[in-house]
Amino acid sequence: MNATRQKSKIITRSVEVEGYPIHYRVIGEDMTQEAIILVHGLSGSTLWWTHNIFALAQNYRVYLIDLPGFGTMRRLTRQFTLANATTWVLAWMKAVGIERAHLVGHSMGGYICMHLAATYPERVMRMILVSPAVQPQFHSILGYMRPLLLSTRYVRPTFLPLLLFDALRAGPRLLLRVTHDLILLDLNEELSTICQPTLLVWGEHDIVVPLTTGIQLRQTLPNAQLLILQKAGHVSMFDRPLVFNQAALAFLQGDLVGS
């Protein structure tokens, strides 16, 4: 266990959001520090940020939430659709007392972060988007899971059981519904309005949301940088955590990262 992990402590807390108890975790109790909210992707959970949270918590107060229907919130499947995800995250922020925060989102979580930034810009400081699913290439659960499984050759051996565990917790019904939502929803009109500094992070071998989408997004967003991680797939923050963490911290401090 390294010094950073020894100094950091994960605290589990609960708040009521829209009439339901919501559990979340936070690392760091210094309320003077800027907040970072980590938003996972489809079939994911807060566990997918395992290799990133302690590095980010060196300088920030880090919040981890499982979206309703996923991870520890799997029993709230009826309460979550992608269309209301933004208002749900905002309601959670208000309940916790977070006025503004940096957002870090992966895949579907990146979509949610971007929609939040476009709709409530005063709430968002900077964004780090890991292969955000703004133009997904999949059209079914199989179309999502198959390339994700294929891309596991670039990740640590511990990721595959984690992927299967979280997919089983979410269940096929929710995954089918949210996959359908991702196919139908479109952010193209809002993209040009997102003015927050944004770091796009893409694995060079991402076959779920390919790198060409990241290149196009870099050209569309007014204030974006693109960082391509070598030997990484769709879950590049898990594939290359040391490089990702260093880049994330540098970007949050205002440094130029990527191109």
Side-chain angles (χ1 to χ4, degrees), residues 60-201:
Y60 300 90
R61 200 167 71 256
V62 179
Y63 291 87
L64 299 102
I65 55 171
D66 281 325
L67 297 170
F70 298 92
T72 58
M73 296 288 100
R74 60 189 179 277
R75 293 184 178 86
L76 295 182
T77 53
R78 294 182 181 178
Q79 305 306 124
F80 181 80
T81 63
L82 192 56
N84 66 21
T86 298
T87 56
W88 186 90
V89 173
L90 181 64
W92 173 81
M93 289 176 66
K94 290 179 179 178
V96 174
I98 302 174
E99 293 292 331
R100 300 177 71 226
H102 302 291
L103 301 183
V104 183
H106 170 245
S107 195
M108 178 186 74
Y111 176 99
I112 294 171
C113 291
M114 294 175 72
H115 193 258
L116 182 61
T119 310
Y120 303 98
E122 71 281 1
R123 293 282 187 171
V124 180
M125 301 170 71
R126 287 174 171 257
M127 288 194 297
I128 300 174
L129 307 175
V130 186
S131 296
V134 290
Q135 295 175 337
Q137 304 299 303
F138 51 88
H139 299 283
S140 65
I141 294 178
L142 181 60
Y144 168 74
M145 294 299 291
R146 184 175 181 274
L148 186 57
L149 287 169
L150 289 174
S151 68
T152 56
R153 59 182 169 171
Y154 301 105
V155 302
R156 300 182 179 197
T158 54
F159 181 72
L160 182 55
L162 180 60
L163 169 63
L164 297 176
F165 174 62
D166 278 336
L168 288 173
R169 287 201 290 178
R173 182 176 299 179
L174 177 67
L175 293 179
L176 179 61
R177 172 155 52 84
V178 180
T179 298
H180 184 260
D181 288 349
L182 274 173
I183 295 169
L184 293 179
L185 294 182
D186 189 355
L187 258 183
N188 286 330
E189 291 186 5
E190 290 95 339
L191 289 179
S192 61
T193 69
I194 297 174
C195 58
Q196 292 87 348
T198 301
L199 176 62
L200 303 168
V201 181

